[in-house]
Amino acid sequence: MIHRQRPSIYDVARQAGVSHMTVSRVLNGHANIRDATRARVLQVIDEMNYTPSPIARALATRRAHRIGVLVDAPDQYGPNSTLQAFESAARVAGYAISTFSVADDEGSPIDSGASELANQGVEALCVIAPRAKSLDLLRRQATGLPTVVIKSERDEQWHTIGVDQRAGAVKAVTHLIERGHTSIAHLAGPLDWFDSRERAEGWRQALKDHGIRPGAMVSGDWTSDFGYEFGRRFDIGETTAVFASNDQMALGLIHGLSERGLRVPHDLSIVGFDDLPDTRHFLPPLTTVRQDFAALGDLALQRIVSAIEHDGAPQHHTIEPLVVVRMSSSSPPTVRGGR
């Protein structure tokens, strides 16, 4: 039998026409690498199916090259997508991941998870904790590890990375205003969630910027079931549009309205948030706000690697979301000549 030798970092360097140190810097997410060089090295890594040996790296660098990830509410779309994106970015860079998940029905709080990961010898922590109560617990747990928190708001205690939730909400509501809507309600998420708070603030800000009084706001639980029940009982009155804080509630809302004989967008325009993979197949296809989770994962890894190497004062970075316009939003009925 012929056994193929596993490609080494030197093989990658030779094929890419760079030094092995350059390959190492690309794997570790260094910022001072030219984009063209980084792309060429990553292409060769992919073509050669190269995977860094964690044992060899640990012996050579006296570092574990392992990052701990704390995930609160892993069953929800946002935290789950963030985790997948971060794991993918870490894998490409040659880092191993240890994950500790916290769900509502589990007895292990997030601060216990931080201690457990620290005891496993991780070099840093990535915290995906969208709820305020989880971060309140974590603040009391001093691990001494470089920590990056996925959060759209700045925090004086940690490095923070996030999609700009408030900006996304402003863009969504502005889209409705530009189409003539002046009575826009908000179906918010749970107000213990940072993202839900920021989206609600973005809704208020966009209306205030255009001199429009806020419509009704109801706080939901992220589920399509809640959106459905809301759609069945919501007293529309003069409301011509609803900004839903996530796509699942928007889906339920459309269902609930349809059972009452109300059509979207003819009777009510709907805009969601997240751009779930299936939103283009909703009836009608949903206008929503897209979050770039791949970019979020890459940026989080870059910040963690930087923090491991020279941890300084907490920094904050955000990624701009994008409004994806589909068929669930149009001009209000009054503009088109009545319901």
Side-chain angles (χ1 to χ4, degrees):
M1 295 180 62
I2 299 176
H3 297 277
R4 290 186 177 180
Q5 186 176 2
R6 176 177 176 171
S8 70
I9 192 172
Y10 298 98
D11 297 324
V12 173
R14 184 164 48 252
Q15 184 69 20
V18 298
S19 70
H20 74 278
M21 288 303 298
T22 297
V23 177
S24 177
R25 291 189 183 100
V26 170
L27 289 170
N28 287 300
H30 281 271
N32 60 340
I33 300 292
R34 289 186 298 175
D35 290 342
T37 302
R38 187 187 308 276
R40 185 166 70 255
V41 170
L42 291 175
Q43 180 180 351
V44 171
I45 287 172
D46 184 60
E47 291 173 350
M48 300 184 72
N49 197 26
Y50 169 74
T51 55
S53 166
I55 296 175
R57 294 183 73 189
L59 290 173
T61 64
R62 297 184 181 181
R63 288 175 48 188
H65 284 87
R66 179 172 292 274
I67 299 169
V69 184
L70 287 166
V71 189
D72 180 21
D75 56 330
Q76 296 292 340
Y77 177 74
N80 184 270
S81 298
T82 303
L83 172 61
Q84 291 184 43
F86 183 78
E87 286 181 332
S88 178
R91 192 181 308 116
V92 170
Y95 280 86
I97 296 294
S98 293
T99 304
F100 187 97
S101 298
V102 180
D104 285 329
D105 58 349
E106 294 179 350
S108 299
I110 198 166
D111 53 342
S112 298
S115 297
E116 182 173 316
L117 290 173
N119 290 335
Q120 292 180 21
V122 299
E123 291 190 83
L125 289 177
C126 175
V127 181
I128 306 171
R131 294 183 287 191
K133 64 181 180 182
S134 293
L135 281 191
D136 289 343
L137 282 173
L138 196 60
R139 289 183 197 283
R140 301 198 293 265
Q141 182 66 43
T143 63
L145 293 171
T147 300
V148 171
V149 177
I150 307 299
K151 182 169 172 274
S152 64
E153 302 165 275
R154 184 182 298 275
D155 195 293
E156 296 301 321
Q157 186 169 343
W158 300 297
H159 299 288
T160 46
I161 304 290
V163 175
D164 194 330
Q165 305 293 320
R166 186 176 302 202
V170 168
K171 290 180 179 182
V173 177
T174 300
H175 161 76
L176 291 168
I177 293 171
E178 289 174 345
R179 275 146 187 78
H181 294 274
T182 56
S183 183
I184 304 171
H186 180 39
L187 179 51
L191 295 184
D192 184 48
W193 284 60
F194 295 110
D195 289 354
S196 179
R197 293 180 190 177
E198 286 295 288
R199 293 171 195 176
E201 285 302 313
W203 166 70
R204 293 190 187 95
Q205 180 183 326
L207 295 174
K208 181 180 179 181
D209 290 346
H210 290 83
I212 299 173
R213 180 181 300 177
M217 186 182 97
V218 174
S219 179
D221 62 3
W222 296 131
T223 67
S224 54
D225 285 342
F226 187 95
Y228 170 72
E229 292 299 332
F230 175 73
R232 290 183 62 195
R233 68 176 187 270
F234 177 49
D235 181 10
I236 294 178
E238 297 300 315
T239 302
T240 61
V242 177
F243 166 49
S245 197
N246 76 333
D247 292 342
Q248 288 169 286
M249 290 195 295
L251 172 62
L253 173 58
I254 293 171
H255 183 193
L257 291 170
S258 69
E259 287 199 352
R260 296 166 55 185
L262 296 171
R263 294 171 294 168
V264 175
H266 183 273
D267 297 301
L268 201 69
S269 286
I270 308 293
V271 175
F273 204 108
D274 280 336
D275 196 26
L276 294 175
D278 293 333
T279 49
R280 64 185 182 276
H281 299 301
F282 286 11
L283 289 176
L286 185 68
T287 296
T288 187
V289 179
R290 177 180 296 163
Q291 304 192 73
D292 190 341
F293 289 107
L296 182 63
D298 288 340
L299 184 57
L301 181 68
Q302 291 175 25
R303 290 304 311 142
I304 282 182
V305 171
S306 177
I308 290 172
E309 295 177 352
H310 39 80
D311 194 19
Q315 298 183 25
H316 180 62
H317 299 273
T318 57
I319 295 170
E320 281 288 312
L322 172 71
V323 173
V324 180
V325 180
R326 297 192 179 103
M327 296 175 64
S328 68
S329 58
S330 65
S331 56
T334 52
V335 174
R336 297 197 303 268
R339 292 188 192 274

